């Protein structure tokens, strides 16, 4: 878990050109789902390329606490021996999900329709985040939740002994909420229907179908209508986790802002519900190409090639693209600082309830590095300084947020003066090999604030 140990100050200095191949780890969203659905299937699910970051390791531990057997064979190869839908045992102690909103919300959904009780907690960041968005729909199935004021962790969920299926329209664009409801629906008799007005990442739908659940998705005037038939027997799967586009974003953006760079990031998952950043960067004039497009494990995949791009222009990012790049706005705002003109990011209220308030965290850090930022409740804009003209020199707070820490490390690679963060330890939640991978490309990141 991050945020409980000693803070790790970090400083990123102007890098020599970044060159080479960046093999980023497995997709975080898919890794959580592979472990959870594996635990709900009957028999052995084999997973390769699992992200071995703290968030996912916490989910693996949680699945063991609910009765599944989870085996790490080494080298990203894992087995999960599942207990079947409705087969979860009551955990003997508190489930600690560390920094992971995805972990806690999906697991709450998965256990909420079994007659067991579980108590969940997390680190200082997770314990501030809203859980009512998940416990409200879980109550419709018959589950009860008791937490701290404002629906915060630590929280106890009493699963429904006689769950009923639900029809639920997700009020905010959130794949975590959608997935929690679908996972709860697995152990409710009859059809559970989830409606989302804006499409969010669809890994749960794809993987549920892969495990043999009866699930349909229809695009209607109401939005995407997902219908799941409850109480299936899930069949164990062999899952190859694609590499994470949200992690690929960091070496890609680092190459765009560091003079002379040319970086290949192979095998990146390009599910359209996840790839918004890359299209936005192309719209800004980035030299970014998709090579060798193919399909792997039911997901579209390509190799990304990013080269130094001194002529990028600020744009208004289409708000309807927000859900497909929601985790990438922090690093996009760094790229925007190296462009000319204004980059406007609207329709992004959800950024305020991530691992940190990401608009506030990035605005403070960008300003500390000489960049002008304006913000409102659900939008923010960055004034570009132009390539090679970002002052830098600032010390930024990471607020226990891995993506804030990595974004400012990217900024330091192209800025005139070094950029520091107070604590890079949260990077281990999603991208444990970040420092080594960036160093191998030619980056200069040190563990101090000097
Ligand atoms: C995720 C959904 C998104 C995203 C998070 C991963 C998922 O969160 O920000 O990093 O795996 O379902 P929301 O559901 O809060 O949008």
């Amino acid at each position: 878990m991050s945020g409980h140990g000693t803070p790790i100050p970090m400083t990123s200095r102007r890098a020599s050109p970044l060159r080479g191949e960046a093999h980023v780890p497995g997709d975080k969203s898919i890794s959580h789902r592979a472990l959870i659905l594996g635990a709900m299937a009957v028999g052995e699910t084999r997973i390769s390329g699992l992200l071995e970051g703290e968030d996912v390791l916490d989910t693996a531990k949680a699945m063991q606490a609910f009765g599944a057997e989870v085996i790490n064979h080494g080298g990203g190869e894992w087995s999960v021996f599942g207990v079947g839908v409705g087969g979860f045992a009551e955990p003997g102690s508190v489930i600690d999900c560390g920094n992971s909103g995805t972990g806690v919300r999906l697991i709450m959904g998965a256990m909420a329709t079994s007659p067991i009780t579980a108590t969940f907690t997390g680190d200082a960041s997770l314990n501030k985040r809203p859980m009512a968005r998940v416990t409200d729909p879980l109550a419709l199935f018959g589950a009860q939740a008791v937490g701290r004021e404002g629906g915060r962790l630590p929280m106890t969920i009493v699963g429904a002994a006689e769950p009923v299926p639900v029809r639920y329209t997700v009020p905010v664009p959130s794949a975590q909420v959608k997935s929690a409801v679908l996972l709860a629906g697995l152990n409710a008799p009859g059809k559970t229907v989830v409606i989302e007005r804006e499409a969010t990442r669809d890994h749960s739908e794809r993987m549920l179908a892969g495990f043999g659940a009866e699930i349909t998705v229809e695009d209607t005037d109401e939005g995407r209508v997902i219908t799941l038939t409850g109480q299936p027997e899930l069949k164990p799967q062999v899952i190859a986790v694609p590499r994470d586009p949200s992690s690929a974003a960091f070496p890609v953006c680092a190459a765009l802002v560091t003079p002379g760079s040319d970086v290949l990031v192979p095998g990146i998952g390009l599910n359209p519900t996840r790839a918004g950043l890359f299209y936005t960067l192309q719209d800004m004039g980035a030299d970014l190409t998709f090579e060798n497009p193919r399909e792997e494990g039911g997901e579209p995949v390509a190799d990304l090639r990013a080269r130094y791009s001194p002529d990028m222009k600020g744009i208004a990012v289409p708000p309807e693209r927000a859900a497909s790049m929601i985790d990438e706005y922090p690093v996009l705002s760094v790229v925007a600082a190296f462009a000319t003109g204004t980059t406007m990011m609207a329709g992004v209220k959800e950024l305020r309830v991530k691992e940190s308030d990401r608009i506030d965290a990035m605005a403070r850090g960008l300003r500390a590095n000489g960049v002008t930022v304006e913000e409102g409740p659900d939008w923010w804009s960055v004034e570009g300084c132009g390539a090679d003209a970002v002052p830098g020199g600032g010390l930024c707070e990471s607020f226990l947020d891995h993506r804030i820490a990595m974004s400012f490390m990217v900024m330091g690679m192209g800025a005139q003066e070094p950029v520091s963060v107070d604590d890079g330890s949260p990077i281990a939640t999603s991208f444990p090999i970040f420092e080594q991978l960036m160093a191998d490309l030619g980056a200069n990141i040190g563990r101090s604030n000097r």
Side-chain angles (χ1 to χ4, degrees), residues 271-359:
N271 180 314
T273 61
R274 294 289 299 283
L277 171 75
F278 305 121
Y279 302 117
T280 301
L281 293 171
Q282 286 179 329
D283 290 350
M284 292 171 77
D287 186 351
L288 171 64
T289 50
F290 304 114
E291 297 181 357
N292 192 15
R294 56 203 185 268
E295 188 159 312
E296 281 177 13
E299 297 272 349
V301 162
D303 307 332
L304 305 182
R305 180 174 288 280
R307 296 186 178 91
Y308 177 53
S309 300
D311 298 321
M312 291 185 286
K313 308 247 173 323
I315 62 165
V317 181
E320 62 276 11
R321 206 180 268 173
S324 70
M325 52 181 287
I326 195 67
D327 290 335
E328 284 65 76
Y329 283 93
V331 74
L332 174 66
S333 71
V334 166
V335 173
F338 289 86
T340 51
T342 306
T343 294
M344 168 58 94
M345 297 165 281
V348 292
K349 197 164 71 198
E350 281 294 300
L351 290 180
R352 296 211 179 266
V353 290
K354 296 292 177 188
E355 286 83 330
S356 66
D357 175 340
R358 285 182 170 161
I359 297 179

Side-chain angles (χ1 to χ4, degrees), residues 86-143:
F88 274 178
E90 188 165 270
S93 54
V94 172
I95 303 294
D96 190 337
C97 290
N99 192 250
S100 181
T102 305
V104 75
R105 290 180 174 136
L106 268 56
I107 296 167
M108 280 179 175
M111 60 73 58
T113 46
S114 291
I116 54 173
T117 296
T119 300
F120 296 88
T121 192
D123 70 3
S125 154
L126 188 57
N127 287 359
K128 281 191 207 141
R129 297 180 66 185
M131 293 298 143
R133 54 178 53 202
V134 171
T135 55
D136 286 352
L138 296 184
L140 304 175
F141 287 97

